[in-house]
Amino acid sequence: MFRSLVPRAAPRAIRPSAVSRSTFCAPNIYFQGRSRRGYASEAEEKDLVIIGGGVAGYVAAIKAGQSGLKVACIEKRGALGGTCLNVGCIPSKSLLNNSHLYHQILHDTKHRGIEVGEVKVNLQAMMQAKDTSVAGLTKGVEFLFKKNNVEYIKGTGAFQDEHTIAVNLIDGGETTVRGKNILIATGSEATPFPGLTIDEKKVITSTGAIAMQEVPKKMVVIGGGIIGLEMGSVWSRLGSEVTVVEFLGQIGGPGMDAEVAKQTQKILQKQGMKFKLNTKVTKGDAEGEGVTINTEAAKGGKEELLDADVVLCAIGRRPYTNGLGLENIGLETDDRGRLIIDQEYRTKIQHIRAIGDVTFGPMLAHKAEEEAVAAIEYLTKGYGHVNYGAIPSVMYTHPEVAWVGQNEQELKSAGVKYKVGSFPFSANSRAKTNLDTLGFVKMLSDAETDRILGIHIVGPNAGEMIAEGVLAIEYGASSEDVARTSHAHPTLSEAFKEAAMATYDKAIHY
């Protein structure tokens, strides 16, 4: 059965979820010899042809190669890794880490007994460090293609018929490749803001935000989700006056727990970022030297003008299917541009599957990876599994924010009776010795069974710590299970244990 809308997945459900969020995974090495450089043989039919070499596509290609399938992967960027590796997850984290180090040296090291002289930003060198990281990782993906006998075709693919993909090669010329099975993994693109033309200079998306050549004096971020807050944080640390305009009444998007969102906003405000919540952007003008943004209250009200040197549009992402030739095979998308699939990722044409951002579910790289493995397992073994109730989300600001499972507002809306426990990092010995005590761990469990329903963290290393929460939810652990598990001392993870203790009984150190 095919669908355009999917109900929220319960734990261990295998069908993709309809919940969609914004988010944010190369240079290439040509194969030796013309015959190995991306010229597919029309005579040979592949077991699997993958359109798209992003996280979903390249993971599927490697998994299929490991399974002994004859695989070809078509990627038009000329570099594997897709948005995440090239202009998203990876480069943004490089800038987040290095801008944090700069900000810490400026504002924090004196409290640690470290005195430094004049500190300056060398933006060119910072960008080079980012590019070096990306280059190393993308070369690694190409190596894995070679290792697993995946044919890498550099070009733009489009359906000629249900088994044939026509490819316009980057090097020039055309070819075709036939596949017994085809996997669509074309990813997503930034959703443009109506009335503002993206030029990646004054009006930018996340792609432009990781490539600016100078620090803007003023930046307006349209959208207070993860991408907007991460990139706004980078440029705020480097000296820009950043104002975030968000239509909703909280930052972080609807998935972030309201209490966590409120605390995170306070922290980011102390770091210098400004916020205008419950505010909508009505129009923008980029004709002059800078950009002027017109805003008003979300429910209507007095208009306010915001001037900026750069405006970052971070209102979400949308599936990318342009030029794919879906009309040639009769495949359609739903009202949000997503390819419609069944529980085994099949479209209505049984040998054509779709995974990642181009279809249902949160637009997260790790979700796409899980689907890639599951899709190949369905193809080779007849079964696969992704638990959509245990997909973590992380925002890499400082402190980090991470969560998995349900938040309080969702539980209240569903009428679920629950218990809540929390523990502040200010009471954690390792956080105190690190002088990094902002935030807390919050745990939600079923009031009757104590089964963990959701975990929400704002604090140091939240992105790493949430893995324990994912494992707990995956295996149906109770808060008491976690509380009775020994955690090394002194570690930040003890805050996780104490939050579990506070959920089913009482914390010891707070």
Side-chain angles (χ1 to χ4, degrees):
M1 179 178 179
F2 299 93
R3 62 199 182 284
S4 60
L5 290 175
V6 184
R8 183 176 182 85
R12 293 198 174 275
I14 60 172
R15 59 187 178 185
S17 163
V19 179
S20 179
R21 289 196 321 101
S22 63
T23 137
F24 290 166
C25 297
N28 53 19
I29 302 173
Y30 286 105
F31 291 177
Q32 297 298 316
R34 182 181 178 89
S35 63
R36 297 177 61 202
R37 197 176 57 182
Y39 289 81
S41 169
E42 293 185 39
E44 180 186 26
E45 184 176 55
K46 299 290 185 180
D47 295 316
L48 177 64
V49 175
I50 300 170
I51 308 175
V55 176
Y58 87 67
V59 170
I62 292 169
K63 181 66 176 177
Q66 291 173 343
S67 301
L69 301 183
K70 293 180 180 179
V71 188
C73 183
I74 304 165
E75 171 53 53
K76 72 175 187 177
R77 192 187 295 269
L80 295 168
T83 294
C84 180
L85 209 160
N86 288 278
V87 292
C89 314
I90 300 303
S92 68
K93 300 314 167 283
S94 173
L95 293 178
L96 279 159
N97 183 65
N98 293 335
S99 64
H100 171 62
L101 289 175
Y102 169 71
H103 191 266
Q104 190 172 34
I105 292 169
L106 277 182
H107 303 285
D108 190 37
T109 54
K110 62 183 178 181
H111 303 300
R112 302 171 183 272
I114 303 171
E115 297 181 2
V116 297
E118 184 181 7
V119 182
K120 297 187 295 183
V121 172
N122 183 332
L123 192 57
Q124 185 177 4
M126 188 176 287
M127 292 296 175
Q128 182 59 52
K130 171 205 67 175
D131 294 340
T132 299
S133 300
V134 170
L137 289 168
T138 54
K139 288 176 183 176
V141 176
E142 288 203 24
F143 168 77
L144 292 172
F145 267 29
K146 293 179 182 179
K147 179 181 177 182
N148 293 285
N149 299 312
V150 175
E151 183 175 9
Y152 174 22
I153 304 174
K154 302 184 178 86
T156 302
F159 282 98
Q160 197 172 72
D161 59 45
E162 292 183 3
H163 284 279
T164 308
I165 307 298
V167 185
N168 286 321
L169 298 167
I170 291 176
D171 284 351
E174 299 177 348
T175 191
T176 59
V177 57
R178 285 184 58 82
K180 296 176 184 176
N181 297 280
I182 296 173
L183 184 64
I184 302 171
T186 47
S188 62
E189 63 180 350
T191 303
F193 188 86
L196 282 175
T197 302
I198 304 294
D199 61 7
E200 300 297 8
K201 296 185 183 301
K202 289 194 302 181
V203 181
I204 64 176
T205 65
S206 55
T207 299
I210 62 166
M212 289 197 288
Q213 298 302 304
E214 61 181 22
V215 179
K217 291 182 180 179
K218 290 184 177 182
M219 172 186 275
V220 169
V221 179
I222 305 176
I226 290 178
I227 296 174
L229 295 175
E230 286 186 348
M231 299 318 310
S233 183
V234 166
W235 295 104
S236 174
R237 294 168 184 169
L238 296 180
S240 183
E241 181 184 313
V242 176
T243 301
V244 178
V245 182
E246 170 55 49
F247 183 81
L248 299 177
Q250 71 166 58
I251 64 171
M256 188 180 287
D257 185 83
E259 182 184 5
V260 170
K262 187 175 181 180
Q263 177 76 1
T264 302
Q265 183 183 337
K266 288 180 180 179
I267 294 170
L268 294 177
Q269 282 174 330
K270 288 182 179 179
Q271 294 174 5
M273 294 176 68
K274 299 178 181 178
F275 294 90
K276 291 185 177 295
L277 305 185
N278 295 304
T279 302
K280 63 181 177 182
V281 175
T282 55
K283 61 181 178 179
D285 182 4
E287 293 297 321
E289 204 168 302
V291 186
T292 300
I293 297 296
N294 300 61
T295 70
E296 64 180 41
K299 295 181 180 180
K302 184 179 179 182
E303 185 177 68
E304 181 182 2
L305 299 181
L306 298 177
D307 294 320
D309 301 290
V310 172
V311 170
L312 168 60
C313 294
I315 59 173
R317 297 182 66 82
R318 62 187 182 186
Y320 184 80
T321 57
N322 289 347
L324 194 53
L326 297 179
E327 66 280 1
N328 296 334
I329 57 173
L331 280 186
E332 299 176 348
T333 58
D334 70 3
D335 58 355
R336 295 172 65 177
R338 301 173 298 192
L339 283 165
I340 301 167
I341 56 174
D342 67 8
Q343 71 275 8
E344 295 185 16
Y345 307 103
R346 296 179 190 267
T347 65
K348 69 179 183 180
I349 302 172
Q350 291 293 285
H351 67 275
I352 301 177
R353 288 177 162 88
I355 58 172
D357 287 5
V358 79
T359 188
F360 302 100
M363 291 184 176
L364 298 168
H366 44 281
K367 172 261 192 185
E369 287 189 58
E370 298 301 319
E371 290 184 336
V373 172
I376 300 305
E377 289 179 335
Y378 275 121
L379 181 62
T380 58
K381 301 177 182 180
Y383 58 86
H385 167 74
V386 177
N387 183 355
Y388 289 91
I391 302 292
S393 296
V394 183
M395 184 169 77
Y396 297 90
T397 51
H398 188 84
E400 294 178 348
V401 183
W403 67 91
V404 64
Q406 295 171 287
N407 57 44
E408 271 205 82
Q409 52 265 41
E410 289 171 334
L411 294 176
K412 289 177 181 177
S413 178
V416 176
K417 294 181 180 180
Y418 65 94
K419 296 183 295 183
V420 58
S422 64
F423 189 84
F425 282 103
S426 59
N428 174 265
S429 57
R430 184 64 186 275
K432 289 182 76 69
T433 58
N434 290 349
L435 301 182
D436 198 0
T437 59
L438 294 175
F440 56 88
V441 180
K442 176 178 179 178
M443 194 171 291
L444 305 168
S445 73
D446 186 275
E448 295 182 5
T449 67
D450 193 36
R451 181 171 179 166
I452 296 172
L453 302 175
I455 295 167
H456 306 268
I457 308 171
V458 51
N461 282 18
E464 303 293 339
M465 197 180 301
I466 199 62
E468 182 176 0
V470 175
L471 193 64
I473 288 180
E474 178 68 33
Y475 285 94
S478 66
S479 67
E480 184 175 357
D481 288 332
V482 174
R484 292 189 181 277
T485 302
S486 180
H487 289 62
H489 174 78
T491 60
L492 296 170
S493 67
E494 287 180 286
F496 194 95
K497 172 186 171 75
E498 294 264 14
M501 295 177 73
T503 304
Y504 95 93
D505 189 12
K506 294 181 179 179
I508 293 296
H509 293 95
Y510 184 69

